[in-house]
Structures are given as structure tokens and as C-alpha cells.
Amino acid sequence: MGERVDDRRWLGLACELARECPPSRTAFSVGAVVVGADGKELARGYSRETDDKVHAEEAALAKLPGVDLAGATVYSSLEPCARRLSRPQPCARLIVAAGVRRVVFAWREPVLFVEGDGVEVLADLGVEVVEIPAFAARAKLPNAHLL
């Protein structure tokens, strides 16, 4: 439990992916990477990658239909959402439904658009959640216009 050897490398990549997001005044720029139990990247995504409503975790997970994600980790620059205005399922529930049981993130979602309680929802659903706040400043950079 807790931080693992490669967590910082993958979380750094997630923070870099957030810079790929088309700018928005109504949504955060977030990057996400799904890494398998073997330590290899399975998929990556970022906010607004495929449409103006898609979240980073959702974009990455959508690239893995039918893949067994037991033992996988989702790395996200921002705490996965537990409430969402733009889609019926928030990212925390998509992560659980995909079978992922570990999430590593950099920055807790500030209360700007919705209440950020993804950590609590994930933990209540049996997901190990690891926060690495040393990466929060990197996660905030592509969101400076919102803060």
C-alpha cells in the first residue's frame, strides 16, 4: 500500500498530458495514464481529447474495452471526479466499473465546478488512493486561467 517505485514517473506523464487539453473556461485540464499490473502503459488520455465533455480518465479507459484491469493503476493529474455535470457517470465510478482498484493523483479538485470528493468515493468503493501532492503545482499549471 502507498507509493510505489514508478508512481512519480507515471504521474509526471499524466501532468504532461494535461498540457495537451484544448483550453476551457468551464472545465479543468487533466491528464491520465492507465498502467497494467506488469508496469506497462495500457492507455492514456486527456480532457477534451475526443469531444468537449470527455474527462481524462474516461478518455483513457475508453481505449481499453474488455481489457482486464485487475491490478492496473490509473494515474491522474487531478483527483478523479465523483460528481459530474456533463455526463451520467463520474470518473470515480467509471474507474471502479472498469475493475481498477488503485488510483494515484497529484491535486485535489478545488470546489470550482462541483464538490470534489472523488477520494472518499473511491476509497468507499474499495480503491486504494494515493495522493502525491509534490506534483500539485505541475497539475495546476495548465489550469492557471481558472484559479
Side-chain angles (χ1 to χ4, degrees), residues 1 22 28 37 52 64 70 96 124 137 141 145:
M1 300 294 236
F28 290 109
D52 65 348
L64 300 168
V96 171
D124 287 348
L141 279 175
H145 65 288

Side-chain angles (χ1 to χ4, degrees), residues 26-45:
T26 60
F28 290 109
S29 292
V30 181
V33 183
V34 182
V35 176
D38 62 358
K40 294 183 178 158
E41 180 179 332
L42 298 174
R44 59 176 70 183

Side-chain angles (χ1 to χ4, degrees), residues 2-131:
E3 193 174 328
R4 295 180 187 166
V5 173
D6 287 336
D7 283 350
R8 289 175 181 254
R9 175 171 68 105
W10 292 117
L11 190 55
L13 175 57
C15 289
E16 290 303 311
L17 287 168
R19 300 169 123 194
E20 300 294 322
C21 300
S24 173
R25 293 211 164 274
T26 60
F28 290 109
S29 292
V30 181
V33 183
V34 182
V35 176
D38 62 358
K40 294 183 178 158
E41 180 179 332
L42 298 174
R44 59 176 70 183
Y46 55 87
S47 301
R48 298 173 297 288
E49 178 181 3
T50 56
D51 69 60
D52 65 348
K53 305 273 189 242
V54 75
H55 286 192
E57 302 92 336
E58 175 186 22
L61 290 170
K63 296 169 184 169
L64 300 168
V67 175
D68 179 7
L69 295 178
T73 299
V74 169
Y75 294 88
S76 182
S77 59
L78 183 69
E79 170 185 19
C81 67
R83 292 174 183 25
R84 190 164 179 184
L85 302 175
S86 61
R87 296 260 211 265
Q89 286 293 319
C91 292
R93 297 212 178 265
L94 293 173
I95 288 167
V96 171
V100 175
R101 293 296 175 259
R102 185 167 187 271
V103 171
V104 178
F105 75 98
W107 177 34
R108 287 205 183 232
E109 183 173 0
V111 179
L112 188 58
F113 304 116
V114 296
E115 186 71 32
D117 59 351
V119 168
E120 293 78 13
V121 169
L122 286 166
D124 287 348
L125 294 171
V127 176
E128 177 189 358
V129 183
V130 178
E131 180 179 5

